[in-house]
Amino acid sequence: MVDIFSNILSVNLFLAKKNESSRLMLHLDDYVIADQKRDWWFLWMFLFQGLSFVFYQVLVFMFLVSGFKVGTITPGDFALLVSVNISLISTLWSLSADILNFSDIVGNLKQGLQIALAPIEILDKPNAVALNCYKGQTTFDNVKFHYKGTEPLFQNKSIEIKAGQKVGLVGYSEGGKSTFVNLILRLYDVTDGAILIDGQDIRDVTQDSLRENIAMIPQDPSLFHRSLMENIRYGRADSTDEEVIEAAKKAHAHEFISALPQGYD
């Protein structure tokens, strides 16, 4: 559903409402079937539990009545045991309802932990140092790279981008343009060879210091659910409001931001 709503413009432009509805129902059907199985199991459990409680209460009541008749049970004992039994049954019934909630929580927790505890593939070396970027000369030294389970994308790629040089990457779709940039950012590690910035292998420096020295405008623009002021400041948290506005002016965004009802807020 998140995927559909995130791409709702494409859904409308390509008249895909029916297809998306069918696709959604396909996934929801599996969910409904699983939910029904669980709910039937709990229904039978509650039914068995309810009948057990009734049987237990009747049995105790008969025992109390017979004891009261022969004088072994006092009115106080009678009232106490009935009260205790009602309290006990109420607690057990609440516990069974909590088991239903517990099964939901366990499912959500497993799904969340599966993502949160996924192993991190790109790690800093124990002795990694901060990048000393004084020129910005970038070198690909016999770089080999391929994604898991795919053909090699780069084979012995060697290129030198000099400091201050402007370079354009041109090529067909899936030709490796974005991958070329992502490798410099060390979003992936090269399979073989090395990428050097001012003679330093990027695998030997900390990722934070590497990316701190690289300005990146992503292919797909994204906004956090925060004010425009916070979004623009995101790249440098200590920026003043004046610096944010100056940056917006340079990007020719100040005009339309100022025209918004709440402006930068």
Side-chain angles (χ1 to χ4, degrees):
M1 289 182 75
V2 171
D3 196 33
I4 292 169
F5 284 117
S6 300
N7 297 285
I8 196 67
L9 181 61
S10 297
V11 173
N12 287 327
L13 288 176
F14 296 102
L15 307 176
K17 291 178 184 176
K18 287 184 179 178
N19 290 340
E20 291 299 338
S21 293
S22 302
R23 186 184 179 87
L24 190 60
M25 291 311 298
L26 197 66
H27 291 293
L28 287 178
D29 284 345
D30 292 338
Y31 176 79
V32 168
I33 290 167
D35 225 28
Q36 284 177 338
K37 283 182 180 177
R38 186 200 63 175
D39 288 348
W40 272 111
W41 188 88
F42 276 106
L43 181 65
W44 286 112
M45 189 190 81
F46 288 144
L47 182 64
F48 173 77
Q49 194 176 26
L51 291 172
S52 300
F53 288 160
V54 170
F55 177 74
Y56 168 72
Q57 190 74 313
V58 168
L59 200 65
V60 170
F61 196 76
M62 288 172 60
F63 169 76
L64 288 173
V65 168
S66 63
F68 185 71
K69 283 180 179 178
V70 298
T72 55
I73 298 291
T74 66
D77 295 331
F78 193 100
L80 176 65
L81 285 171
V82 168
S83 300
V84 168
N85 273 326
I86 290 171
S87 178
L88 179 65
I89 288 169
S90 176
T91 302
L92 290 173
W93 189 262
S94 299
L95 181 63
S96 62
D98 287 339
I99 292 171
L100 176 61
N101 295 330
F102 181 73
S103 70
D104 280 337
I105 293 167
V106 167
N108 290 333
L109 197 62
K110 277 184 177 178
Q111 193 175 28
L113 288 175
Q114 195 173 10
I115 297 167
L117 299 180
I120 300 171
E121 294 181 1
I122 308 296
L123 293 168
D124 288 342
K125 288 183 177 179
N127 58 344
V129 296
L131 175 68
N132 180 21
C133 185
Y134 50 90
K135 284 185 179 178
Q137 181 164 308
T138 305
T139 306
F140 275 57
D141 183 16
N142 290 316
V143 167
K144 293 182 182 178
F145 177 75
H146 64 85
Y147 293 105
K148 287 181 180 177
T150 64
E151 292 293 317
L153 195 59
F154 296 142
Q155 288 272 39
N156 300 318
K157 173 74 73 179
S158 291
I159 187 171
E160 188 173 286
I161 303 172
K162 295 178 181 177
Q165 186 179 5
K166 293 180 180 178
V167 177
L169 297 177
V170 183
Y172 54 84
S173 181
E174 304 300 325
K177 300 185 298 295
S178 297
T179 302
F180 185 89
V181 177
N182 289 338
L183 286 174
I184 297 173
L185 288 162
R186 208 187 164 208
L187 298 179
Y188 304 99
D189 268 335
V190 296
T191 310
D192 198 10
I195 298 174
L196 311 171
I197 294 179
D198 288 336
Q200 301 156 84
D201 191 326
I202 61 172
R203 290 170 297 190
D204 295 334
V205 301
T206 61
Q207 295 175 67
D208 285 350
S209 68
L210 171 67
R211 292 164 194 160
E212 189 180 15
N213 283 282
I214 299 174
M216 173 75 174
I217 301 174
Q219 220 169 348
D220 303 311
S222 60
L223 288 173
F224 288 94
H225 290 283
R226 303 167 197 174
S227 69
L228 290 173
M229 182 71 76
E230 289 174 290
N231 270 283
I232 298 170
R233 187 181 278 127
Y234 197 78
R236 206 174 79 201
D238 59 348
S239 303
T240 63
D241 289 357
E242 291 74 22
E243 287 174 324
V244 169
I245 292 169
E246 183 60 30
K249 285 178 179 177
K250 288 180 178 178
H252 301 286
H254 179 71
E255 293 81 3
F256 73 80
I257 292 175
S258 300
L260 295 172
Q262 290 176 279
Y264 283 86
D265 297 317

